[in-house]
Amino acid sequence: MRAERAARSRASYVGGMTHPQPAAVPVTSLLTDRYELTMLQAALADGTAHRRCVFEVFTRRLPPGRRYGVVAGTGRLLEALPAFRFTSRELDWLSDEGVVDDATLAFLADYRFTGSVRGYAEGEVFFPQSPLLVVEGTFAEAVLLETLALSILNYDSAVASAASRMTSAAVDRPVLEMGARRAHEEAAVSAARAAVVAGFAATSNLEAGRRYGLDTIGTAAHAFTLLHDDEEAAFAAQVAAQGPGTTLLVDTYDVKRGVELALAAAGTGLGAVRLDSGDLGVLAQEVRAQLDAAGAHDTRIVVTSDLDEYAIAALAAAPVDVYGVGTSVVTGSGAPTCGMVYKLVAREGRDGALAPVEKRSSAKTSVGGRKTAARRRGPDGRAVEEVLVTGPDQAVASWEPEGGELRALHVPLVTGGEVDLSWTGPQGVRRARDRHRASRDELPRGARRLSADEAAVPTVTLRLAGRD
Amino acid sequence: MRAERAARSRASYVGGMTHPQPAAVPVTSLLTDRYELTMLQAALADGTAHRRCVFEVFTRRLPPGRRYGVVAGTGRLLEALPAFRFTSRELDWLSDEGVVDDATLAFLADYRFTGSVRGYAEGEVFFPQSPLLVVEGTFAEAVLLETLALSILNYDSAVASAASRMTSAAVDRPVLEMGARRAHEEAAVSAARAAVVAGFAATSNLEAGRRYGLDTIGTAAHAFTLLHDDEEAAFAAQVAAQGPGTTLLVDTYDVKRGVELALAAAGTGLGAVRLDSGDLGVLAQEVRAQLDAAGAHDTRIVVTSDLDEYAIAALAAAPVDVYGVGTSVVTGSGAPTCGMVYKLVAREGRDGALAPVEKRSSAKTSVGGRKTAARRRGPDGRAVEEVLVTGPDQAVASWEPEGGELRALHVPLVTGGEVDLSWTGPQGVRRARDRHRASRDELPRGARRLSADEAAVPTVTLRLAGRD
């Protein structure tokens, strides 16, 4: 029976082999700023709530020094969308608190998003102004999604953007996500997912493993050694339970002695030793020499002490086999949010025509009008520039990039309220991971340098001709 | 019926008037690092899993320049604890994935925490090494809580620690939490709660309002103005829906004209105007003069553009009435996690006696032995030092601070597996908020300066005499 369950479980991770189902998600409709609902009430009252609108998600700038961002969370947003419903629990509370009037409560009771969403595929790299999501529907149905869409994309993309620099710095060595304890408990699950989108090999987070079909890892902490009367007893217990292929943590007392005891407990078939403190470069050299001298040539060295992309890069020449990253990946390595905004760029006017709109006060200006986007590639297949296309609405809607030189960046995510489930669940993570690898490989040479610099490619705006 | 619901709803916010119930929380047991379970398996096999253990949560240092931290999340941890159970959903997945063996699955199926937890009251300020949580139980039951406890306390405390600096800088002006869009959607709910613990007046986050009985706020975004054919139409619609006491956002086009139109729409009884861009200090001066000249002396000015504690302090002399803070509070204003750790400090040895343990490798050393803590106050009632008390286990357990000079910091949170519900739910937030205010008021003069400095008081260790 266990074998049968395992087969079923594995099958569900294989894209296309089973019908993909979005994860069961609790009601998401109150994960929303109050002003979305008060705007809705006022707009329902004067009839503007039913105007057709286009909202776009973009970021005005990358974090200082970053050369590209990575879109993540798209699959989670699509999983959360069908759960954006107002049940009696939410309606009763909104009524009790007097947040909105009865007409608005009646609207919310029937609410479901029936519009469309296009956007960058999850895993795609992005630059300032890239229209990452284009949400179309009535004002009423589209405005309500602002907070939820931004919460998910801002956090997940912050993690993926940092994680991509780490996997890039690690080159071919696996990087493991171990940051759950340094992030909100639910954010930690999303962080593990986003890290895997950006190339992490596995996560310590069990719920992330269960929910998204990720590989999970982990063997023992210092507490396990301290629990025992001595290191010998701890290693013996761990090898007895997990076999000699396990990873033994060798730095609770003295590393040299720890490695000796680890080899005594597991033999030269020991899977790995983990170093979690000290000067990792020097220690790794010493431990590698010690392992090799003992004949444990296949025993790997895992390092895990407060690593970030710079520490990973600094260990490039050290005999390290695997990196474990915690705090820095779940907190976006200095950029814990992406600063994405959700802006109304076009709306139906009194005349029924869709018209571009934009804020015009001193700062935070945005470019009005519906947009689409493509990435121009040079003869070597590498990205040259991000091309935003705007202009008359019909022209934008029907614009197709010509040939292989321009790669279209928008994919349909929601059509007439129907979510494309192929972006969700474990399959969505796999697609996103593949997309990220291909997208990052397409960046110009030098774009993956960690040193501070401008965006890897410039963003240009192509204004289509035609009646506006 | 609505009035009845409202009365019921209000009653539930009043501490002691209704029996407090923890919020319904989904199963939390897989919000855990895999190594907790693999350690459990090995310890069950060799019998050490049943050794009595003491784990402590503390942080080795404050973020650079910070003078104190604020404990938050304790109530949420107590709400999450009864939901730390392994149902068939979790057990099946662990079995399918081969994470642990059948004996461990059987243990997990019956798992519930039956130990005790003492700790700093939620809202209390803390310093490096403060033993924020002391968890006692068998290794098996206590080790499993590591990741969940740290996730909750690290994130919530990071937010509360930043939020406290903001409310401190704002002095008597209200500060509103509006950061949901810049944090993971569930983290955002916890951030709103933590901000209120640290003195924020209200939040834009509806789910936080519903779950924790917080006041919610929000009126309109720029999208509402842009949706309409002009600013006049937008303001008229908003005033019609929300009354003249609403807050009108006046910076979509031209601020001066926006204020004129706002006053035209709502009259001099207009509740407030909101400024979300530009040089807020200068704009606030101009807008105040304009409002006063029009006789709108009671119309308040709300400012909301990328504020943090420094920007709030810089506006102290400006005629600002309310601050709205987003990104910086939900991301901990530069310190998005607290770096708290969960360390085994004592465990039953082969002889059945509880013995202190500590890691002894080169870095990350911690002090072994069970601890309790008190804050020493000077003759003016202000904190002078953090006193950690350690020594023989019985002596620590029975230690009581003498007189008013030493204020004991540990309170019982879980006793014999029973959660003290008075720390949970809306009542828990109110208690934490009161505790924070009193605790912060007790800090030495100058401790609330924003400029970088050492911890506001030193931490000293008092070693009790007696048989160790």
Side-chain angles (χ1 to χ4, degrees), chain B residues 30 34 48 56 138 147 157 164 172 216 317 323 346 430 436:
Chain B
L30 291 191
R34 179 170 166 139
T48 51
E56 288 181 357
T138 64
T147 310
S157 301
S164 177
D172 291 329
T216 60
Y323 301 99
R430 292 158 52 100
H436 180 62

Side-chain angles (χ1 to χ4, degrees), chain A residues 369-430:
Chain A
R370 183 156 77 151
K371 288 168 220 74
T372 189
R375 193 157 295 154
R376 186 181 303 279
R377 297 183 287 199
D380 61 354
R382 292 188 181 269
V384 175
E385 63 187 10
E386 192 85 335
V387 181
L388 309 193
V389 179
T390 185
D393 197 59
Q394 288 312 313
V396 171
S398 59
W399 183 80
E400 298 269 357
E402 346 84 55
E405 192 201 340
L406 276 170
R407 180 166 70 83
L409 292 166
H410 279 169
V411 296
L413 299 168
V414 182
T415 307
E418 284 299 308
V419 168
D420 183 339
L421 295 177
S422 71
W423 303 104
T424 67
Q427 175 178 275
V429 176
R430 292 157 53 99

Side-chain angles (χ1 to χ4, degrees), chain B residues 97-409:
Chain B
E97 291 293 303
V99 173
V100 287
D101 63 11
D102 288 346
T104 309
L105 291 173
F107 176 88
L108 295 175
D110 293 331
Y111 178 82
R112 62 178 67 203
F113 181 73
T114 65
S116 76
V117 183
R118 291 173 299 121
Y120 280 39
E122 184 163 5
E124 189 64 75
V125 306
F126 70 84
F127 305 98
Q129 307 296 337
S130 294
L132 302 174
L133 223 56
V134 181
V135 180
E136 300 195 44
T138 64
F139 179 78
E141 61 186 356
V143 76
L144 292 185
L145 303 180
E146 175 177 27
T147 310
L148 182 65
L150 290 177
S151 289
I152 293 177
L153 293 180
N154 268 325
Y155 180 70
D156 291 25
S157 301
V159 172
S161 298
S164 177
R165 286 161 61 86
M166 296 170 191
T167 55
S168 185
V171 192
D172 291 329
R173 294 173 179 171
V175 189
L176 309 176
E177 191 281 314
M178 300 176 166
R181 63 193 55 202
R182 300 296 170 84
H184 180 278
E185 70 278 15
E186 271 294 327
V189 178
S190 305
R193 179 187 177 283
V196 168
V197 165
F200 273 52
T203 176
S204 64
N205 190 298
L206 291 170
E207 179 62 14
R210 190 192 68 78
R211 211 180 288 177
Y212 301 112
L214 313 181
D215 289 335
T216 60
I217 45 84
T219 53
H222 295 109
F224 187 76
T225 301
L226 296 173
L227 168 69
H228 286 82
D229 296 311
D230 50 40
E231 218 167 11
E232 288 92 326
F235 288 174
Q238 189 177 327
V239 171
Q242 299 176 20
T246 191
T247 299
L248 291 170
L249 179 59
V250 294
D251 70 343
T252 304
Y253 303 111
D254 173 79
V255 173
K256 184 153 186 275
R257 174 90 178 130
V259 173
E260 279 168 21
L261 294 174
L263 289 170
T268 54
L270 174 62
V273 295
R274 179 160 78 96
L275 300 170
D276 186 46
S277 53
D279 182 336
L280 296 172
V282 172
L283 277 178
Q285 296 281 5
E286 292 172 0
V287 168
R288 183 73 268 159
Q290 189 181 355
L291 290 169
D292 286 344
H297 300 290
D298 294 335
T299 299
R300 300 196 299 167
I301 298 176
V302 184
V303 296
T304 57
S305 183
D306 283 333
L307 300 181
D308 61 12
E309 61 268 45
Y310 303 103
I312 290 172
L315 289 166
V320 164
D321 299 288
V322 180
Y323 301 99
V325 180
T327 307
S328 67
V329 67
V330 301
T331 59
S333 198
T337 186
C338 280
M340 290 176 197
V341 293
Y342 185 96
K343 290 294 169 194
L344 181 67
V345 295
R347 56 104 181 104
E348 194 179 344
R350 206 179 297 164
D351 60 357
L354 204 64
V357 293
E358 57 193 58
K359 191 165 167 282
R360 289 196 304 268
S361 62
S362 54
K364 297 189 191 174
T365 307
S366 53
V367 179
R370 182 156 80 152
K371 290 168 216 74
T372 190
R375 193 157 294 153
R376 186 180 303 280
R377 296 182 288 200
D380 61 354
R382 292 186 181 270
V384 175
E385 63 187 10
E386 193 84 336
V387 181
L388 309 193
V389 179
T390 185
D393 197 60
Q394 288 310 313
V396 172
S398 59
W399 183 79
E400 297 268 359
E402 348 81 56
E405 191 200 341
L406 275 171
R407 179 167 70 83
L409 292 167

